[in-house]
Amino acid sequence: MSLTIREGGPDDVPAVLALFDEAVEWMVARGQTGQWGDEPFSSKPSNVERAEAWAAGGGLRMAELDGEPVGLLVLGDAFPWITPAGEPEVYIGALVTSRAHAGEDIGGALVRRAYEEAAASGIRLVRLDCWAGAPRLVQWYEEQGFTRTETFTVGFTGSDWTGQVFEHRLPG
């Protein structure tokens, strides 16, 4: 099977929601409800609106194996609660892969795509954030070349949510 990464659009909203729903179901089964809660992602109107905005915003990238959506990447602006970078950056606002294809480097391919797009634009800084309560996820981002910078806390799911910000500097 061959992995391709393409620009996404409005027709990809159902696939985006399905990938998030799959990820939430997987996390709930492991007792990790702190990241996105314990209800399907698609059950919240605000999440559907977010997926629609990503699909219309020009930063959605879809990973496919033989035409089947297996991951997504959203490139855009940092969230308002993240300290501004002070220089041009590519910010990864979302990265989700199908658990059915765990271990196949789909997430790594999506991260490398973000690096490639940043380099092609002459940008040296790539940043992202994730839930700080998932040590394996934090470690995975470090394995992709990211370095921890700051943490932050916001109220997302009815309680405080602590995130970890990462950065990766491209050569040049």
Side-chain angles (χ1 to χ4, degrees), residues 130 134-144 146 148 166:
C130 75
R136 179 61 190 110
L137 181 60
V138 169
Q139 178 186 354
W140 185 84
Y141 281 118
E142 290 174 330
E143 291 167 357
Q144 304 311 304
F146 286 94
R148 295 183 211 192
F166 295 86

Side-chain angles (χ1 to χ4, degrees), residues 96-118:
V96 178
T97 62
S98 171
R99 302 319 310 153
H101 295 278
E104 296 180 23
D105 196 36
I106 294 164
L110 287 164
V111 166
R112 290 188 298 277
R113 173 67 176 255
Y115 292 166
E116 291 166 6
E117 289 195 31

Side-chain angles (χ1 to χ4, degrees), residues 30-79:
R30 283 150 187 77
Q32 294 179 316
T33 59
Q35 184 165 349
W36 292 321
D38 59 3
E39 299 293 323
F41 188 85
S42 62
S43 70
K44 298 177 184 170
S46 62
N47 289 339
V48 174
E49 290 171 11
R50 184 178 315 162
E52 291 169 344
W54 287 335
L60 177 64
R61 306 295 179 261
M62 298 297 297
E64 296 178 332
L65 282 174
D66 295 333
E68 173 194 353
V70 293
L72 67 92
L73 169 72
V74 178
L75 305 175
D77 296 328
F79 298 106

Side-chain angles (χ1 to χ4, degrees), residues 79-96:
F79 298 106
W81 52 85
I82 304 297
T83 303
E87 65 183 273
E89 70 176 335
V90 167
Y91 200 90
I92 298 174
L95 175 67
V96 178

